[in-house]
Amino acid sequence: MGDTSALWTVTNIQEAIPGVETPMTWSYFGPGGEYALRNHFHHIGALSASEARTPADRKEWILGLFYGRCAMRVDLLGKWADRVPGTSGEALVMQFFSSLPGSMTSQRTRMYYPRAMAKMPTQFLAVPPLMRKNRARVEEFWRSSLAGLDKSSRSEVEELIEEAYNHFSLSLGLQVRLTMGAFATVSKLLGALAAEQSEVSAHELVAGYGGHEESELVKDMWDLSREKITLDHFLSKHGYHGWQEGELSNRTWREDPSMVLAQAAAYRLRPDSENPHDAEDRRAEHRTGLEDRFLHALPARRRPWARLVLKLASIYLPMRGISKVSFLQGLDVARSVVRRMGEFLVSENVIDDIEDVFYLTRDEVIGTPPDNARMLVHERREIRARYQTFEVPDAWQGIPEQIDPSERAAIELIEGTPASPGAVEGRARVVLRPTDAHLEEGEILVARDTDPAWASLMFLSSALIADIGGVMSHTAVVARELGIPCVVNTKLASRTISTGDLLRVDGAKGTVEILSRADNSL
């Protein structure tokens, strides 16, 4: 699904929608993501009201589906960004994806600038209160909808399936408005100011604020390991997380807390000196010192502007997780109500197993299901299983080439995008499935991508390496906030490195050296 002549990427978007989606997951993320992206560019004046409406023709969408993987159309995103004053398509794509796929070039269209200049400033003021109100609303929806779901009627479940979609799409829309709006703008301004002096790097300036949702998750995991809070209390706050939580057919921690218990056991082995509560305070103090050095390194005439940018950063950068929690909670309701619908469809002899429901779509399970539901489930299961045997590149034009994940290259140096400074040597731990998700002392976490649930695992690592992601990706943001060296956009690290390989990671240079191989790793 998508224009096969366009430029596409899975970078960043695979953090939210991992791997090969089930049809039910795409029926949430596809239209929901299309709405969110078009809605943002409409709010900042780049798109008219008619352009903001989701096109009937899937080839005109900015989101596509290739071998079951959700991808974003980079050339269309760049075209929209070229309508916004103060940036360009190339700049926005580089900021979020760390590279320009294919032959993409910017062609600024200044005829849209007056409309954008009139609408853009209001976004800084409008989005934060909208996000906070939405956060409280979805939190209540998450709690109330899951309570007593096993007694709900078929008609009530149908309403909840649509209500969950509405909460999800609105929350995702706010997330995009913050991330591509205020978050990206403030990060860009900080980066420009950092380039005017040599005392403090841009990466250091966008970290250490505290207050991130992922930071709270790490601190609560620590408290759980010290029996300061109960498992029930932890799950009541974070139970919507889980392995590849963007996929609706996967189980979250509230449904299966085994991963929580395993990580709490690992935290329990760490010395009290690693307490994340204290570490966050130390990073805040360190940040204060960095800001003083940064301001003194600038000319006096630039300092008032720099102070304003730093103030904006302290407001907007920690907010990125707020709407992410909301859309994850909306999805968590969706997975439960869809499973409840699966119970009805099994009892009605429409499908054979409750889990089969994820191989249908929202439209197919509301009202009268298709007569050939069993055949659709069987065919789609086979297609998904086939797609899962290979991977696709991080970016391409037209149709992506299939990559055999079993193919390994004898590479000694991997170059990616620097995401969080620091240099570390240690043994690799490649995590591609839930059974791999544990770390020994000093190990370096290697993954294809991460999602918010990985924050508690990232805390246990000495460094982080990811195949995909840019400097604005979730992987990079959390690594900087936790003070962990990080390299993203390596493209092939998880296919080149084996668990046990000795690595040197330089998060400032964006390099990963394979110093020695584990026995029989190649």
Side-chain angles (χ1 to χ4, degrees), residues 297-341:
L298 290 172
R301 60 183 174 80
R302 298 289 285 161
R303 290 172 192 167
W305 169 242
R307 288 191 179 92
L308 174 61
V309 173
L310 289 171
K311 179 63 177 177
L312 292 172
S314 69
I315 296 171
Y316 289 103
L317 297 191
M319 292 188 69
R320 195 181 188 195
I322 293 177
S323 279
K324 184 164 282 188
V325 167
S326 298
F327 80 67
L328 287 174
Q329 288 179 327
L331 285 177
D332 197 31
V333 173
R335 66 170 38 91
S336 289
V337 297
V338 166
R339 277 199 174 93
R340 175 64 173 154
M341 177 58 76

mmCIF file of all heavy atoms in Angstrom, residues 297-341:
data_model
loop_
_atom_site.group_PDB
_atom_site.id
_atom_site.type_symbol
_atom_site.label_atom_id
_atom_site.label_comp_id
_atom_site.label_asym_id
_atom_site.label_seq_id
_atom_site.Cartn_x
_atom_site.Cartn_y
_atom_site.Cartn_z
ATOM 1 N N ALA A 297 29.937 31.104 27.380
ATOM 2 C CA ALA A 297 30.703 30.930 26.146
ATOM 3 C C ALA A 297 30.115 31.716 24.981
ATOM 4 O O ALA A 297 30.764 31.883 23.949
ATOM 5 C CB ALA A 297 30.775 29.449 25.777
ATOM 6 N N LEU A 298 28.899 32.209 25.155
ATOM 7 C CA LEU A 298 28.248 33.002 24.110
ATOM 8 C C LEU A 298 28.546 34.482 24.280
ATOM 9 O O LEU A 298 28.784 34.946 25.401
ATOM 10 C CB LEU A 298 26.729 32.789 24.162
ATOM 11 C CG LEU A 298 26.187 31.419 23.741
ATOM 12 C CD1 LEU A 298 24.696 31.339 24.052
ATOM 13 C CD2 LEU A 298 26.439 31.175 22.258
ATOM 14 N N PRO A 299 28.506 35.248 23.205
ATOM 15 C CA PRO A 299 28.627 36.702 23.335
ATOM 16 C C PRO A 299 27.499 37.251 24.201
ATOM 17 O O PRO A 299 26.376 36.711 24.202
ATOM 18 C CB PRO A 299 28.506 37.202 21.887
ATOM 19 C CG PRO A 299 28.837 36.028 21.040
ATOM 20 C CD PRO A 299 28.397 34.815 21.802
ATOM 21 N N ALA A 300 27.749 38.308 24.924
ATOM 22 C CA ALA A 300 26.761 38.858 25.856
ATOM 23 C C ALA A 300 25.442 39.201 25.168
ATOM 24 O O ALA A 300 24.361 39.008 25.744
ATOM 25 C CB ALA A 300 27.334 40.102 26.535
ATOM 26 N N ARG A 301 25.526 39.673 23.940
ATOM 27 C CA ARG A 301 24.307 40.066 23.232
ATOM 28 C C ARG A 301 23.411 38.862 22.901
ATOM 29 O O ARG A 301 22.213 39.027 22.645
ATOM 30 C CB ARG A 301 24.662 40.811 21.947
ATOM 31 C CG ARG A 301 25.497 39.990 20.975
ATOM 32 C CD ARG A 301 25.904 40.779 19.739
ATOM 33 N NE ARG A 301 26.817 40.013 18.902
ATOM 34 C CZ ARG A 301 26.425 39.059 18.066
ATOM 35 N NH1 ARG A 301 25.135 38.773 17.956
ATOM 36 N NH2 ARG A 301 27.305 38.387 17.335
ATOM 37 N N ARG A 302 23.989 37.641 22.870
ATOM 38 C CA ARG A 302 23.224 36.449 22.539
ATOM 39 C C ARG A 302 22.621 35.772 23.776
ATOM 40 O O ARG A 302 21.765 34.891 23.654
ATOM 41 C CB ARG A 302 24.123 35.433 21.812
ATOM 42 C CG ARG A 302 24.673 35.922 20.500
ATOM 43 C CD ARG A 302 23.578 35.989 19.461
ATOM 44 N NE ARG A 302 23.205 34.668 18.973
ATOM 45 C CZ ARG A 302 22.058 34.407 18.356
ATOM 46 N NH1 ARG A 302 21.157 35.357 18.196
ATOM 47 N NH2 ARG A 302 21.797 33.188 17.915
ATOM 48 N N ARG A 303 23.050 36.163 24.960
ATOM 49 C CA ARG A 303 22.631 35.451 26.167
ATOM 50 C C ARG A 303 21.141 35.582 26.487
ATOM 51 O O ARG A 303 20.517 34.592 26.894
ATOM 52 C CB ARG A 303 23.482 35.898 27.356
ATOM 53 C CG ARG A 303 24.922 35.411 27.248
ATOM 54 C CD ARG A 303 25.818 36.010 28.310
ATOM 55 N NE ARG A 303 27.221 35.741 28.004
ATOM 56 C CZ ARG A 303 28.238 36.336 28.592
ATOM 57 N NH1 ARG A 303 28.008 37.249 29.566
ATOM 58 N NH2 ARG A 303 29.483 36.049 28.249
ATOM 59 N N PRO A 304 20.514 36.769 26.340
ATOM 60 C CA PRO A 304 19.070 36.831 26.610
ATOM 61 C C PRO A 304 18.266 35.862 25.730
ATOM 62 O O PRO A 304 17.341 35.206 26.209
ATOM 63 C CB PRO A 304 18.723 38.293 26.299
ATOM 64 C CG PRO A 304 19.996 39.031 26.522
ATOM 65 C CD PRO A 304 21.071 38.107 26.061
ATOM 66 N N TRP A 305 18.615 35.793 24.446
ATOM 67 C CA TRP A 305 17.940 34.867 23.547
ATOM 68 C C TRP A 305 18.208 33.423 23.970
ATOM 69 O O TRP A 305 17.289 32.584 23.988
ATOM 70 C CB TRP A 305 18.416 35.102 22.123
ATOM 71 C CG TRP A 305 17.997 34.051 21.133
ATOM 72 C CD1 TRP A 305 18.793 33.237 20.411
ATOM 73 C CD2 TRP A 305 16.660 33.712 20.748
ATOM 74 N NE1 TRP A 305 18.061 32.397 19.600
ATOM 75 C CE2 TRP A 305 16.738 32.663 19.788
ATOM 76 C CE3 TRP A 305 15.401 34.170 21.127
ATOM 77 C CZ2 TRP A 305 15.619 32.092 19.207
ATOM 78 C CZ3 TRP A 305 14.265 33.596 20.553
ATOM 79 C CH2 TRP A 305 14.387 32.574 19.594
ATOM 80 N N ALA A 306 19.446 33.129 24.357
ATOM 81 C CA ALA A 306 19.787 31.770 24.780
ATOM 82 C C ALA A 306 19.023 31.389 26.040
ATOM 83 O O ALA A 306 18.558 30.239 26.170
ATOM 84 C CB ALA A 306 21.290 31.660 25.014
ATOM 85 N N ARG A 307 18.875 32.329 26.977
ATOM 86 C CA ARG A 307 18.116 32.028 28.199
ATOM 87 C C ARG A 307 16.657 31.710 27.870
ATOM 88 O O ARG A 307 16.047 30.827 28.486
ATOM 89 C CB ARG A 307 18.203 33.211 29.180
ATOM 90 C CG ARG A 307 19.566 33.367 29.843
ATOM 91 C CD ARG A 307 19.513 34.388 30.988
ATOM 92 N NE ARG A 307 20.804 34.512 31.625
ATOM 93 C CZ ARG A 307 21.728 35.415 31.280
ATOM 94 N NH1 ARG A 307 21.466 36.275 30.292
ATOM 95 N NH2 ARG A 307 22.887 35.459 31.907
ATOM 96 N N LEU A 308 16.079 32.436 26.917
ATOM 97 C CA LEU A 308 14.704 32.171 26.518
ATOM 98 C C LEU A 308 14.578 30.786 25.899
ATOM 99 O O LEU A 308 13.647 30.031 26.218
ATOM 100 C CB LEU A 308 14.227 33.233 25.515
ATOM 101 C CG LEU A 308 12.838 32.994 24.903
ATOM 102 C CD1 LEU A 308 11.766 32.973 25.993
ATOM 103 C CD2 LEU A 308 12.516 34.054 23.857
ATOM 104 N N VAL A 309 15.513 30.419 25.043
ATOM 105 C CA VAL A 309 15.477 29.105 24.406
ATOM 106 C C VAL A 309 15.628 28.003 25.456
ATOM 107 O O VAL A 309 14.934 26.977 25.413
ATOM 108 C CB VAL A 309 16.568 28.988 23.327
ATOM 109 C CG1 VAL A 309 16.646 27.564 22.782
ATOM 110 C CG2 VAL A 309 16.296 29.968 22.190
ATOM 111 N N LEU A 310 16.522 28.186 26.423
ATOM 112 C CA LEU A 310 16.696 27.207 27.490
ATOM 113 C C LEU A 310 15.417 27.063 28.320
ATOM 114 O O LEU A 310 15.058 25.956 28.741
ATOM 115 C CB LEU A 310 17.864 27.597 28.393
ATOM 116 C CG LEU A 310 19.262 27.446 27.787
ATOM 117 C CD1 LEU A 310 20.313 28.073 28.707
ATOM 118 C CD2 LEU A 310 19.589 25.969 27.534
ATOM 119 N N LYS A 311 14.740 28.179 28.549
ATOM 120 C CA LYS A 311 13.478 28.131 29.296
ATOM 121 C C LYS A 311 12.419 27.349 28.522
ATOM 122 O O LYS A 311 11.709 26.506 29.083
ATOM 123 C CB LYS A 311 12.989 29.553 29.559
ATOM 124 C CG LYS A 311 11.659 29.631 30.314
ATOM 125 C CD LYS A 311 11.765 29.019 31.710
ATOM 126 C CE LYS A 311 10.457 29.182 32.472
ATOM 127 N NZ LYS A 311 10.522 28.519 33.809
ATOM 128 N N LEU A 312 12.322 27.622 27.227
ATOM 129 C CA LEU A 312 11.375 26.877 26.391
ATOM 130 C C LEU A 312 11.708 25.387 26.383
ATOM 131 O O LEU A 312 10.817 24.539 26.420
ATOM 132 C CB LEU A 312 11.384 27.423 24.955
ATOM 133 C CG LEU A 312 10.814 28.827 24.756
ATOM 134 C CD1 LEU A 312 11.063 29.304 23.336
ATOM 135 C CD2 LEU A 312 9.320 28.847 25.075
ATOM 136 N N ALA A 313 13.001 25.080 26.333
ATOM 137 C CA ALA A 313 13.423 23.673 26.330
ATOM 138 C C ALA A 313 12.996 22.979 27.622
ATOM 139 O O ALA A 313 12.547 21.823 27.593
ATOM 140 C CB ALA A 313 14.933 23.589 26.151
ATOM 141 N N SER A 314 13.130 23.658 28.747
ATOM 142 C CA SER A 314 12.764 23.052 30.029
ATOM 143 C C SER A 314 11.264 22.775 30.113
ATOM 144 O O SER A 314 10.820 21.910 30.874
ATOM 145 C CB SER A 314 13.184 23.958 31.188
ATOM 146 O OG SER A 314 12.404 25.147 31.217
ATOM 147 N N ILE A 315 10.475 23.497 29.311
ATOM 148 C CA ILE A 315 9.023 23.290 29.293
ATOM 149 C C ILE A 315 8.627 22.182 28.320
ATOM 150 O O ILE A 315 7.873 21.274 28.661
ATOM 151 C CB ILE A 315 8.291 24.602 28.914
ATOM 152 C CG1 ILE A 315 8.527 25.670 29.988
ATOM 153 C CG2 ILE A 315 6.799 24.350 28.707
ATOM 154 C CD1 ILE A 315 8.027 27.048 29.592
ATOM 155 N N TYR A 316 9.170 22.266 27.104
ATOM 156 C CA TYR A 316 8.663 21.420 26.031
ATOM 157 C C TYR A 316 9.368 20.071 25.889
ATOM 158 O O TYR A 316 8.730 19.077 25.526
ATOM 159 C CB TYR A 316 8.734 22.177 24.694
ATOM 160 C CG TYR A 316 7.721 23.290 24.603
ATOM 161 C CD1 TYR A 316 8.105 24.610 24.774
ATOM 162 C CD2 TYR A 316 6.385 23.012 24.379
ATOM 163 C CE1 TYR A 316 7.174 25.633 24.716
ATOM 164 C CE2 TYR A 316 5.447 24.026 24.315
ATOM 165 C CZ TYR A 316 5.841 25.337 24.485
ATOM 166 O OH TYR A 316 4.916 26.337 24.430
ATOM 167 N N LEU A 317 10.663 20.000 26.144
ATOM 168 C CA LEU A 317 11.362 18.741 25.900
ATOM 169 C C LEU A 317 10.878 17.601 26.798
ATOM 170 O O LEU A 317 10.740 16.467 26.321
ATOM 171 C CB LEU A 317 12.870 18.933 26.026
ATOM 172 C CG LEU A 317 13.512 19.898 25.011
ATOM 173 C CD1 LEU A 317 15.024 19.785 25.059
ATOM 174 C CD2 LEU A 317 13.010 19.655 23.594
ATOM 175 N N PRO A 318 10.594 17.841 28.086
ATOM 176 C CA PRO A 318 10.101 16.718 28.906
ATOM 177 C C PRO A 318 8.664 16.299 28.584
ATOM 178 O O PRO A 318 8.202 15.282 29.088
ATOM 179 C CB PRO A 318 10.175 17.273 30.340
ATOM 180 C CG PRO A 318 11.107 18.431 30.273
ATOM 181 C CD PRO A 318 10.905 19.020 28.914
ATOM 182 N N MET A 319 7.967 17.094 27.745
ATOM 183 C CA MET A 319 6.550 16.806 27.497
ATOM 184 C C MET A 319 6.342 15.704 26.471
ATOM 185 O O MET A 319 5.215 15.240 26.274
ATOM 186 C CB MET A 319 5.834 18.075 27.006
ATOM 187 C CG MET A 319 5.720 19.164 28.036
ATOM 188 S SD MET A 319 4.678 20.510 27.447
ATOM 189 C CE MET A 319 3.083 19.693 27.423
ATOM 190 N N ARG A 320 7.407 15.257 25.812
ATOM 191 C CA ARG A 320 7.228 14.354 24.684
ATOM 192 C C ARG A 320 6.529 13.053 25.073
ATOM 193 O O ARG A 320 5.813 12.458 24.271
ATOM 194 C CB ARG A 320 8.587 14.036 24.046
ATOM 195 C CG ARG A 320 8.452 13.407 22.670
ATOM 196 C CD ARG A 320 9.789 13.078 22.077
ATOM 197 N NE ARG A 320 9.650 12.652 20.695
ATOM 198 C CZ ARG A 320 10.594 12.034 20.011
ATOM 199 N NH1 ARG A 320 11.736 11.759 20.589
ATOM 200 N NH2 ARG A 320 10.407 11.682 18.755
ATOM 201 N N GLY A 321 6.728 12.611 26.302
ATOM 202 C CA GLY A 321 6.129 11.339 26.705
ATOM 203 C C GLY A 321 4.671 11.411 27.094
ATOM 204 O O GLY A 321 4.007 10.386 27.229
ATOM 205 N N ILE A 322 4.130 12.633 27.273
ATOM 206 C CA ILE A 322 2.766 12.750 27.804
ATOM 207 C C ILE A 322 1.741 12.156 26.851
ATOM 208 O O ILE A 322 0.941 11.296 27.212
ATOM 209 C CB ILE A 322 2.439 14.229 28.114
ATOM 210 C CG1 ILE A 322 3.314 14.725 29.270
ATOM 211 C CG2 ILE A 322 0.957 14.388 28.467
ATOM 212 C CD1 ILE A 322 3.121 16.187 29.603
ATOM 213 N N SER A 323 1.752 12.620 25.596
ATOM 214 C CA SER A 323 0.783 12.087 24.645
ATOM 215 C C SER A 323 1.153 10.684 24.187
ATOM 216 O O SER A 323 0.294 9.928 23.730
ATOM 217 C CB SER A 323 0.649 13.021 23.433
ATOM 218 O OG SER A 323 -0.204 14.089 23.742
ATOM 219 N N LYS A 324 2.448 10.337 24.302
ATOM 220 C CA LYS A 324 2.833 8.963 23.976
ATOM 221 C C LYS A 324 2.167 7.997 24.948
ATOM 222 O O LYS A 324 1.669 6.935 24.539
ATOM 223 C CB LYS A 324 4.353 8.803 24.017
ATOM 224 C CG LYS A 324 4.835 7.434 23.588
ATOM 225 C CD LYS A 324 6.318 7.432 23.279
ATOM 226 C CE LYS A 324 6.601 8.022 21.923
ATOM 227 N NZ LYS A 324 8.017 7.854 21.515
ATOM 228 N N VAL A 325 2.102 8.363 26.223
ATOM 229 C CA VAL A 325 1.381 7.542 27.194
ATOM 230 C C VAL A 325 -0.084 7.440 26.792
ATOM 231 O O VAL A 325 -0.694 6.360 26.831
ATOM 232 C CB VAL A 325 1.513 8.133 28.612
ATOM 233 C CG1 VAL A 325 0.515 7.474 29.560
ATOM 234 C CG2 VAL A 325 2.916 7.959 29.139
ATOM 235 N N SER A 326 -0.673 8.559 26.366
ATOM 236 C CA SER A 326 -2.093 8.567 26.031
ATOM 237 C C SER A 326 -2.404 7.666 24.847
ATOM 238 O O SER A 326 -3.374 6.903 24.883
ATOM 239 C CB SER A 326 -2.552 10.005 25.731
ATOM 240 O OG SER A 326 -2.386 10.831 26.861
ATOM 241 N N PHE A 327 -1.584 7.737 23.790
ATOM 242 C CA PHE A 327 -1.931 6.872 22.657
ATOM 243 C C PHE A 327 -1.624 5.403 22.966
ATOM 244 O O PHE A 327 -2.299 4.502 22.467
ATOM 245 C CB PHE A 327 -1.346 7.364 21.334
ATOM 246 C CG PHE A 327 0.094 7.086 21.013
ATOM 247 C CD1 PHE A 327 0.550 5.806 20.796
ATOM 248 C CD2 PHE A 327 0.988 8.135 20.834
ATOM 249 C CE1 PHE A 327 1.871 5.556 20.447
ATOM 250 C CE2 PHE A 327 2.299 7.906 20.488
ATOM 251 C CZ PHE A 327 2.746 6.608 20.293
ATOM 252 N N LEU A 328 -0.645 5.137 23.845
ATOM 253 C CA LEU A 328 -0.403 3.755 24.255
ATOM 254 C C LEU A 328 -1.547 3.219 25.111
ATOM 255 O O LEU A 328 -1.935 2.048 25.001
ATOM 256 C CB LEU A 328 0.915 3.652 25.010
ATOM 257 C CG LEU A 328 2.186 3.786 24.179
ATOM 258 C CD1 LEU A 328 3.411 3.821 25.088
ATOM 259 C CD2 LEU A 328 2.309 2.654 23.164
ATOM 260 N N GLN A 329 -2.112 4.063 25.963
ATOM 261 C CA GLN A 329 -3.258 3.627 26.762
ATOM 262 C C GLN A 329 -4.478 3.396 25.876
ATOM 263 O O GLN A 329 -5.247 2.465 26.098
ATOM 264 C CB GLN A 329 -3.558 4.663 27.848
ATOM 265 C CG GLN A 329 -2.529 4.671 28.963
ATOM 266 C CD GLN A 329 -2.818 5.713 30.025
ATOM 267 O OE1 GLN A 329 -3.355 6.780 29.732
ATOM 268 N NE2 GLN A 329 -2.459 5.412 31.259
ATOM 269 N N GLY A 330 -4.656 4.244 24.849
ATOM 270 C CA GLY A 330 -5.735 4.012 23.904
ATOM 271 C C GLY A 330 -5.573 2.690 23.186
ATOM 272 O O GLY A 330 -6.540 1.934 23.013
ATOM 273 N N LEU A 331 -4.341 2.379 22.789
ATOM 274 C CA LEU A 331 -4.068 1.092 22.144
ATOM 275 C C LEU A 331 -4.288 -0.072 23.098
ATOM 276 O O LEU A 331 -4.744 -1.150 22.691
ATOM 277 C CB LEU A 331 -2.632 1.055 21.623
ATOM 278 C CG LEU A 331 -2.306 1.856 20.363
ATOM 279 C CD1 LEU A 331 -0.823 1.740 20.050
ATOM 280 C CD2 LEU A 331 -3.138 1.397 19.177
ATOM 281 N N ASP A 332 -3.956 0.128 24.370
ATOM 282 C CA ASP A 332 -4.107 -0.959 25.337
ATOM 283 C C ASP A 332 -5.582 -1.291 25.549
ATOM 284 O O ASP A 332 -5.946 -2.467 25.703
ATOM 285 C CB ASP A 332 -3.443 -0.579 26.660
ATOM 286 C CG ASP A 332 -3.207 -1.793 27.555
ATOM 287 O OD1 ASP A 332 -2.995 -2.895 27.001
ATOM 288 O OD2 ASP A 332 -3.248 -1.640 28.783
ATOM 289 N N VAL A 333 -6.438 -0.273 25.547
ATOM 290 C CA VAL A 333 -7.875 -0.539 25.592
ATOM 291 C C VAL A 333 -8.295 -1.278 24.327
ATOM 292 O O VAL A 333 -9.058 -2.248 24.375
ATOM 293 C CB VAL A 333 -8.680 0.764 25.744
ATOM 294 C CG1 VAL A 333 -10.176 0.482 25.614
ATOM 295 C CG2 VAL A 333 -8.386 1.428 27.080
ATOM 296 N N ALA A 334 -7.767 -0.831 23.188
ATOM 297 C CA ALA A 334 -8.117 -1.456 21.912
ATOM 298 C C ALA A 334 -7.792 -2.947 21.917
ATOM 299 O O ALA A 334 -8.613 -3.770 21.503
ATOM 300 C CB ALA A 334 -7.389 -0.757 20.764
ATOM 301 N N ARG A 335 -6.586 -3.320 22.391
ATOM 302 C CA ARG A 335 -6.215 -4.741 22.346
ATOM 303 C C ARG A 335 -7.158 -5.570 23.216
ATOM 304 O O ARG A 335 -7.485 -6.705 22.864
ATOM 305 C CB ARG A 335 -4.759 -4.943 22.748
ATOM 306 C CG ARG A 335 -4.409 -4.622 24.172
ATOM 307 C CD ARG A 335 -3.002 -5.085 24.558
ATOM 308 N NE ARG A 335 -2.024 -4.912 23.522
ATOM 309 C CZ ARG A 335 -1.252 -3.832 23.344
ATOM 310 N NH1 ARG A 335 -1.412 -2.791 24.151
ATOM 311 N NH2 ARG A 335 -0.364 -3.775 22.375
ATOM 312 N N SER A 336 -7.603 -5.010 24.339
ATOM 313 C CA SER A 336 -8.487 -5.767 25.221
ATOM 314 C C SER A 336 -9.898 -5.876 24.664
ATOM 315 O O SER A 336 -10.518 -6.949 24.733
ATOM 316 C CB SER A 336 -8.525 -5.120 26.608
ATOM 317 O OG SER A 336 -7.301 -5.321 27.278
ATOM 318 N N VAL A 337 -10.417 -4.785 24.120
ATOM 319 C CA VAL A 337 -11.783 -4.844 23.597
ATOM 320 C C VAL A 337 -11.826 -5.660 22.302
ATOM 321 O O VAL A 337 -12.829 -6.329 22.014
ATOM 322 C CB VAL A 337 -12.388 -3.436 23.399
ATOM 323 C CG1 VAL A 337 -12.495 -2.722 24.741
ATOM 324 C CG2 VAL A 337 -11.612 -2.602 22.411
ATOM 325 N N VAL A 338 -10.747 -5.635 21.535
ATOM 326 C CA VAL A 338 -10.690 -6.474 20.333
ATOM 327 C C VAL A 338 -10.663 -7.950 20.731
ATOM 328 O O VAL A 338 -11.330 -8.786 20.111
ATOM 329 C CB VAL A 338 -9.480 -6.094 19.456
ATOM 330 C CG1 VAL A 338 -9.207 -7.161 18.400
ATOM 331 C CG2 VAL A 338 -9.708 -4.743 18.790
ATOM 332 N N ARG A 339 -9.911 -8.284 21.767
ATOM 333 C CA ARG A 339 -9.918 -9.682 22.237
ATOM 334 C C ARG A 339 -11.308 -10.080 22.746
ATOM 335 O O ARG A 339 -11.749 -11.216 22.553
ATOM 336 C CB ARG A 339 -8.877 -9.878 23.341
ATOM 337 C CG ARG A 339 -7.475 -10.108 22.823
ATOM 338 C CD ARG A 339 -6.565 -10.745 23.861
ATOM 339 N NE ARG A 339 -5.282 -11.074 23.262
ATOM 340 C CZ ARG A 339 -4.223 -10.275 23.270
ATOM 341 N NH1 ARG A 339 -4.289 -9.095 23.880
ATOM 342 N NH2 ARG A 339 -3.091 -10.636 22.690
ATOM 343 N N ARG A 340 -11.969 -9.148 23.408
ATOM 344 C CA ARG A 340 -13.338 -9.424 23.863
ATOM 345 C C ARG A 340 -14.237 -9.679 22.646
ATOM 346 O O ARG A 340 -15.071 -10.598 22.668
ATOM 347 C CB ARG A 340 -13.854 -8.244 24.686
ATOM 348 C CG ARG A 340 -15.306 -8.350 25.132
ATOM 349 C CD ARG A 340 -15.545 -9.492 26.078
ATOM 350 N NE ARG A 340 -16.895 -9.464 26.613
ATOM 351 C CZ ARG A 340 -17.569 -10.519 27.045
ATOM 352 N NH1 ARG A 340 -16.990 -11.722 27.016
ATOM 353 N NH2 ARG A 340 -18.797 -10.415 27.513
ATOM 354 N N MET A 341 -14.046 -8.903 21.572
ATOM 355 C CA MET A 341 -14.803 -9.148 20.350
ATOM 356 C C MET A 341 -14.454 -10.521 19.783
ATOM 357 O O MET A 341 -15.313 -11.225 19.236
ATOM 358 C CB MET A 341 -14.506 -8.066 19.325
ATOM 359 C CG MET A 341 -15.195 -8.253 17.970
ATOM 360 S SD MET A 341 -17.008 -8.341 18.098
ATOM 361 C CE MET A 341 -17.373 -6.601 18.352
#
